[in-house]
Amino acid sequence: MTKPELKPVIDVQHVSKVYENGTNGLTDINLQIKPGEFVVIVGLSGAGKSTLMRSLNRLHQVTEGHVLIDGQSITEAKGRNLRRLRRDVAMIFQNFNLVKQSTVLRNVLAGRLGYYPTWQSSLGLFKEADKQRAYKALERVNLLDKVYQRVDQLSGGQQQRVAVARAFVQDPKIVLADEPTASLDPKTAHLVMNDLKSMNQELGKTVVANLHSVALAKEYGTRIIGLRAGRIVYDEQIQDVTDVDLADIYNDGSLVGEDQ
Amino acid sequence: MKLPKQTVAQRFHIRFFGGLIILLVLLIASNNFLKLDFGALIQNFDQFLALFKEMMHPDWKSAPFVVQPMLETIQMALIGTTLGTLLAIPAAIIAARNVVTNKWITGFVRIIFNMIRTLPDLLLAALFVAIVGIGPYAGVLTLTIFSFGMITKLFYECIETIDNGPLEAILTTGGKRSAMVMFAILPQVSSRFISYILYTFEINVRASTVLGYLGAGGIGQQLQTSLSQFRYDQTAVIILAILIMVLAIDGLSNFARERLQ
Ligand SMILES: Nc1ncnc2c1ncn2[C@@H]1O[C@H](COP(=O)(O)OP(=O)(O)O)[C@@H](O)[C@H]1O
Ligand SMILES: [Mg+2]
């Protein structure tokens, strides 16, 4: 599906990350992701999936290397430039990261904060077009009837779909999802994954998702990347992925399971 | 099975026992130093009774003259709390480690705020009376600084307990730090902030009665006058009025704070 001549929308060049306490988060990561891909990153917990993802939008500062978003370095960007680049990279979190005391609408409109000066957004002076955008996003995730409710009155699955709506209205080029389904039941997990899929297929967003579940990875990904101990150990298009490969990524060379 | 090593301090509960010993030493030392004479307190009891007897005949006719200074006291507390709060909000944001990640900045402003907080309110009042003269202006300035010190600490500690996830989420939308404050921080802390402000107001009402005693305006000033003129019958009325006022304001504020939870 991905045409080889397309320029990468995410270009990770020789990225390493050492945490302040000396832990190696990532070691010499090189990775190009083309527009329109649905990349799933798999690996044991502690493999560095979150670290990699948070290096892409610079929630983490990398120790070495560069990350280019659509050709521009986000690792060196400052102030306004950094905010512009971040606006193009929405993120969905395992814990939703909504403001629970605020309404659904206010949380969804927060996706537009990169487009407004603070005085205007604080006073709730969002443009009518942006409010319509928020309603439409909520309709997509089937939560339009909850628009004026406080977020803490919603179930976990509903909260994650509000977070998806927030990413919708942000209108990014890239959507990052860090274990978006880890705290959801299987049925809701599929709903959220379908939301991501429709962003990818209907709206053409590039999606990068960390997933714990091999089944979901195979069902939704167009490309699977395996991480182990901070290094990329696997990178294949979905049609070339075998169950043996996946089992291998999760087999750390020892007999013990995931929680080790 | 290999457990991580405990430090010596952890193993022997050094902190707890150390704290206990220091407390005991301080108690004994301060008692020896002050040489508290509980006997004298009992001997002077008849003097206290005499004063009490005079106060048993309050001069009710003086009651109307209490109203004006009492309102002044409440106004002083109100304005002092408000000004202190307005200053404390930005100060607390700068001091909160989850908002400002530069440890030098948070450390520096905290030292300043700590110094401000260690100034006793009576000292502040004496200072401001000397600078701006006797009257409510000195009281308002005192209460502003006093509330600022107290509210700033309550606020930044409160900000540090919030869920940081939403703060990150705002950054990933391309929002500014100011947008983060407005959208992710204030909604999480606002109800606790209001509760702290009410609590500070309660304390300020009580404090401002005492401040008046130093000439910083309000009912305390009248209390001082009546005492220096040995008009204990008027003192009685003033004390009663203060009691009622403090009770009423505590009650109202408690009610409001409970409704907030
Ligand atoms: N803030 C941090 N400080 C120090 N080490 C960290 C921090 N966050 C993660 N790590 C370490 O970095 C490694 C990778 O973690 P992470 O990226 O969270 O893995 P994953 O998301 O794949 O479970 C782990 O060894 C983890 O303990
Ligand atoms: Mg993780």
Side-chain angles (χ1 to χ4, degrees), chain A residues 54 57 59 83 86-87 89 91 93 97-99 101-102 106 110-111 113-114 117-118 121-122 126 166 170, chain B residues 103 163-180 182-185 187-189:
Chain A
R54 297 163 70 84
N57 59 8
L59 282 183
R83 292 198 300 272
R86 274 182 172 156
R87 201 167 76 180
V89 188
M91 188 162 190
F93 303 82
N97 287 357
L98 302 169
V99 182
Q101 294 84 350
S102 298
R106 201 168 162 82
L113 286 176
T118 301
S121 58
S122 312
F126 288 96
R166 178 173 65 191
Q170 188 172 335
Chain B
K103 290 195 183 92
D163 175 10
N164 287 325
L167 314 197
E168 283 191 335
I170 299 297
L171 289 184
T172 64
T173 66
K176 296 195 182 114
R177 272 179 187 265
S178 50
M180 185 172 96
M182 300 305 296
F183 271 73
I185 297 178
Q188 287 196 67
V189 294

Side-chain angles (χ1 to χ4, degrees), chain A residues 45-46 48-51 94 178-179 210:
Chain A
S45 61
K49 303 183 296 294
S50 298
T51 308
Q94 177 177 345
D178 192 0
E179 311 227 11
N210 291 342

Side-chain angles (χ1 to χ4, degrees), chain A residues 9 56-59 69-70 72 74 77-92 109-117 126-127 130 133 165-176 199 205-206, chain B residues 168-176:
Chain A
V9 67
L56 300 182
N57 59 8
R58 224 176 100 190
L59 282 183
I69 300 298
D70 222 9
Q72 277 183 281
I74 194 170
K78 285 202 179 78
R80 190 186 167 83
N81 262 338
L82 175 60
R83 292 198 300 272
R84 277 283 156 80
L85 286 171
R86 274 182 172 156
R87 201 167 76 180
D88 285 338
V89 188
M91 188 162 190
I92 291 163
L109 282 170
R112 296 303 287 176
L113 286 176
Y115 298 87
Y116 284 86
F126 288 96
K127 294 191 194 95
D130 283 334
R133 214 188 274 260
R166 178 173 65 191
F168 264 124
V169 304
Q170 188 172 335
D171 195 21
K173 294 180 182 142
I174 301 160
V175 179
L176 307 177
M199 275 189 164
K205 314 287 182 203
T206 307
Chain B
E168 283 191 335
I170 299 297
L171 289 184
T172 64
T173 66
K176 296 195 182 114

